[in-house]
Amino acid sequence: MRNFLKKAGLIGLGIALGILLSVHFSAIAEQESKPAIPYEDLQLLASVFGKIKSSYVDQVPDDKLIREAINGMVHGLDPHSDFLDGREIEDLKVTTQGKFGGLGIEVSGENDIVKVVSPIEDTPAFRAGIKAGDLIVKIDDTVTRGLTLSKAVDMMRGKPGTSITLTIVRKDETMPLVFKLMREEINIKSIRSKMVEPGYGYIRIRSFQERTGEDLVQAIKAMYKEEKDLKGLVLDLRSNPGGLLSQAVSVSAAFLPKDAMVVYTEGRIAEAHMELKARPRDYLTMAGKGLLAKDYLSDLPAMIKTVPIVLLIDGGSASASEIVAGALQDNQRAVVMGAQSFGKGSVQTIMQIDATHALKLTTARYFTPSGRSIQAKGIEPDIAVDDGRDVLRIREANLEHHMITPENEKVDDKVNDKVNDKANDKAKGAAEEANAKTPPSDNDQKAPPVRFEFGSPEDFQLQQALNQLKGLPVIAAKKEEKKEGEADDKSADDKAADKKAPSEKAPNGTPDAPPSAPSKP
């Protein structure tokens, strides 16, 4: 009996040890599957936190220190990741939805004063006569000097139907101007379209918002209602900073054959691996509409799939606009014209942290259908046309902490620094050259900026896009106009030579640079 109990005890002990070992190794496996916690680094962070709390010249609230620590951690990743609070989340919604209660003014901060960049058409500010270059010195009874730009914007926004008074200083006006305005719901339309000539349409997309795809359909249908035989279309994505990925896929799908590849993405998590094609399930489900939602692209005129397209880009065309440009270029559906694009080849995901905070985190790189990454490189146009606006443009490659392209991931950081220095030197040199040509005057700081209007008769790149569609010579660069009173620096011999051999003229009367061969997409 004693031997039996002894054996039973040994067996029981063995089973218990087996269970304990199993639990132990399971715990080890679970620990290994999770990221290791860097205790020493966290201890360093806590030490710095403690030193600031005890020794900084002013007392700093704990929440400010924590917030700045998080900001430093996130901003050190890349230029597009961000930690968002409640207000910034709301601003992001305004950007993607395109509507808010306010006055309809684009503003910037300059020398501690709020400056009007431009009033938005058909808004209270536009109708009241507020102009680009105006300085907003008071909002109601509050002086704007010293206010942050975000605070000033908050004060001007508000519930539609409420009133606000702006006091404005304007160049050439001796007294301040007072405008009493009523706030309205401002809808920033991302699409603007028109027929620029009989048979030739123009569509400008300012950004990719929630309704951009649907608004594009309405614009195309209106064009075909006005002009049944559309000979060509100019799709203008210049200075378009991007927006919603779903809308970039939708816009691309409007012009591409069914199931054509638009873009694919790669990242570390499973959700970051996507192949997005010209099919309803990709742009509808991504927009949260579901497979049962009506496909608004099904109403498009069939001819839009074959109409010749010239797509315009510049150094301000970024992210979603580069996806559209790359998709139409790789699928040989459009001729891309203009200047090299910005070069933002990354995808950001909004991750809600709690009720008032979210993380905008870069989770993937995107690639054009042919496998190109445009990160820090941009889309190269098929036909380069320089209108002189892109000289001082900052691009992705100039931004601190920008991601390098995948194929160069092993390149030393010093190589990237040299590339950035070269780009910055070029911009600096161009600025110095511009300053040398234009002597400074006392009125320079007061003069409002000359605002370029996309799609206007003076739009040089648009005119060259039309030439391309018509099979006419395309001029590679805009001729610098001679200002009134400026001396002609040609010698008498040069003038005599010009009389003997006059230069050929392009159809619009501008001396023609070597034309690029007309091509059809």
Side-chain angles (χ1 to χ4, degrees), residues 119-396:
I120 300 169
E121 288 184 25
D122 196 26
T123 63
F126 183 86
R127 292 192 294 268
I130 292 175
K131 299 179 179 180
D134 286 349
L135 302 177
I136 302 174
V137 294
K138 281 178 69 176
I139 301 173
D140 288 329
D141 295 325
T142 303
V143 176
T144 59
R145 182 176 288 278
L147 281 183
T148 63
L149 185 62
S150 60
K151 178 64 176 175
V153 169
D154 278 344
M155 292 177 68
M156 287 187 281
R157 286 182 184 172
K159 188 176 179 181
T162 57
S163 64
I164 184 173
T165 301
L166 299 184
T167 304
I168 282 175
V169 172
R170 180 178 294 168
K171 184 179 181 291
D172 297 331
E173 294 286 347
T174 55
M175 298 293 291
L177 306 175
V178 179
F179 294 85
K180 189 165 184 179
L181 307 169
M182 196 73 70
R183 295 183 181 93
E184 295 179 4
E185 181 175 279
I186 308 299
N187 289 290
I188 306 173
K189 295 180 180 178
S190 63
I191 298 277
R192 185 161 61 88
S193 63
K194 63 180 178 179
M195 297 300 298
V196 284
E197 290 183 15
Y200 295 94
Y202 171 81
I203 295 177
R204 170 157 176 75
I205 304 179
R206 292 181 53 177
S207 62
F208 291 86
Q209 301 169 359
E210 287 181 356
R211 286 190 51 86
T212 297
E214 294 168 84
D215 291 343
L216 175 67
V217 171
Q218 297 306 315
I220 292 172
K221 288 165 73 174
M223 280 184 176
Y224 274 100
K225 188 174 181 180
E226 183 178 345
E227 189 77 42
K228 299 204 179 296
D229 183 23
L230 196 62
K231 298 175 184 175
L233 176 68
V234 179
L235 183 61
D236 189 355
L237 300 182
R238 290 172 295 174
S239 297
N240 180 324
L244 297 175
L245 177 59
S246 61
Q247 299 306 301
V249 177
S250 172
V251 168
S252 302
F255 304 106
L256 292 173
K258 191 175 184 299
D259 293 330
M261 178 68 77
V262 174
V263 65
Y264 68 91
T265 64
E266 292 181 355
R268 290 175 60 203
I269 58 177
E271 294 84 351
H273 291 265
M274 295 185 290
E275 284 191 356
L276 301 172
K277 299 182 179 181
R279 54 191 178 189
R281 76 167 183 259
D282 284 349
Y283 53 82
L284 290 178
T285 53
M286 198 189 308
K289 300 195 175 188
L291 290 173
L292 297 178
K294 184 180 184 298
D295 179 15
Y296 47 82
L297 294 188
S298 63
D299 293 337
L300 279 172
M303 297 83 79
I304 199 64
K305 299 288 187 181
T306 56
V307 66
I309 299 172
V310 171
L311 189 151
L312 293 174
I313 59 171
D314 63 9
S317 305
S319 196
S321 53
E322 292 175 296
I323 287 175
V324 175
L328 269 58
Q329 188 180 52
D330 282 4
N331 283 287
Q332 299 181 359
R333 184 62 192 89
V335 173
V336 178
M337 180 181 288
Q340 182 181 353
S341 63
F342 182 80
K344 180 182 174 292
S346 59
V347 179
Q348 283 68 47
T349 302
I350 307 300
M351 301 176 176
Q352 199 70 36
I353 303 298
D354 55 31
T356 57
H357 297 94
L359 184 63
K360 185 175 76 167
L361 189 66
T362 300
T363 55
R365 287 183 172 91
Y366 71 76
F367 299 83
T368 70
S370 67
R372 289 183 294 160
S373 169
I374 60 90
Q375 174 59 28
K377 294 186 295 186
I379 295 289
E380 291 282 352
D382 300 310
I383 302 174
V385 174
D386 180 14
D387 66 352
R389 291 185 307 108
D390 246 26
V391 176
L392 302 178
R393 183 85 71 173
I394 299 297
R395 289 177 165 80
E396 176 82 6

Side-chain angles (χ1 to χ4, degrees), residues 347-506:
V347 179
Q348 283 68 47
T349 302
I350 307 300
M351 301 176 176
Q352 199 70 36
I353 303 298
D354 55 31
T356 57
H357 297 94
L359 184 63
K360 185 175 76 167
L361 189 66
T362 300
T363 55
R365 287 183 172 91
Y366 71 76
F367 299 83
T368 70
S370 67
R372 289 183 294 160
S373 169
I374 60 90
Q375 174 59 28
K377 294 186 295 186
I379 295 289
E380 291 282 352
D382 300 310
I383 302 174
V385 174
D386 180 14
D387 66 352
R389 291 185 307 108
D390 246 26
V391 176
L392 302 178
R393 183 85 71 173
I394 299 297
R395 289 177 165 80
E396 176 82 6
N398 306 122
L399 301 181
E400 190 175 5
H401 303 306
H402 73 269
M403 293 193 306
I404 55 179
T405 53
E407 56 267 29
N408 294 329
E409 281 181 338
K410 295 182 181 178
V411 173
D412 193 284
D413 286 340
K414 292 179 181 178
V415 175
N416 288 321
D417 292 340
K418 286 180 181 178
V419 172
N420 294 342
D421 291 343
K422 186 176 180 181
N424 291 328
D425 289 344
K426 182 179 179 183
K428 184 180 177 182
E432 290 172 352
E433 184 180 349
N435 290 334
K437 288 181 179 179
T438 309
S441 68
D442 294 337
N443 295 325
D444 279 349
Q445 296 299 322
K446 300 176 184 178
V450 177
R451 188 164 176 83
F452 175 79
E453 184 182 349
F454 293 104
S456 67
E458 294 77 30
D459 188 339
F460 177 75
Q461 289 175 324
L462 172 58
Q463 299 307 316
Q464 304 317 306
L466 292 172
N467 285 347
Q468 172 69 20
L469 290 169
K470 296 172 185 176
L472 299 174
V474 172
I475 304 171
K478 185 177 182 180
K479 184 182 180 184
E480 192 173 329
E481 295 179 3
K482 189 166 63 176
K483 295 179 182 178
E484 187 176 348
E486 187 177 343
D488 190 344
D489 57 0
K490 278 190 177 184
S491 66
D493 292 339
D494 289 337
K495 291 177 181 178
D498 285 346
K499 288 180 181 180
K500 291 179 183 178
S503 62
E504 292 183 7
K505 298 285 182 178

Side-chain angles (χ1 to χ4, degrees), residues 14-33:
I15 293 172
L17 286 172
I19 292 172
L20 289 173
L21 286 171
S22 298
V23 171
H24 177 67
F25 284 122
S26 296
I28 291 174
E30 187 177 349
Q31 287 173 1
E32 288 178 351
S33 67

Side-chain angles (χ1 to χ4, degrees), residues 62-107:
D62 290 350
D63 61 341
K64 175 177 171 58
L65 286 175
I66 295 294
R67 172 64 188 249
E68 293 305 322
I70 294 172
N71 281 335
M73 177 169 57
V74 175
H75 293 163
L77 298 172
D78 64 71
H80 310 294
S81 293
D82 204 0
F83 182 63
L84 310 175
D85 60 19
R87 185 190 180 284
E88 291 164 331
I89 293 170
E90 286 302 311
D91 286 345
L92 189 63
K93 288 180 181 177
V94 167
T95 302
T96 57
Q97 293 173 352
K99 60 182 178 182
F100 58 91
L103 306 175
I105 317 175
E106 294 179 26
V107 294

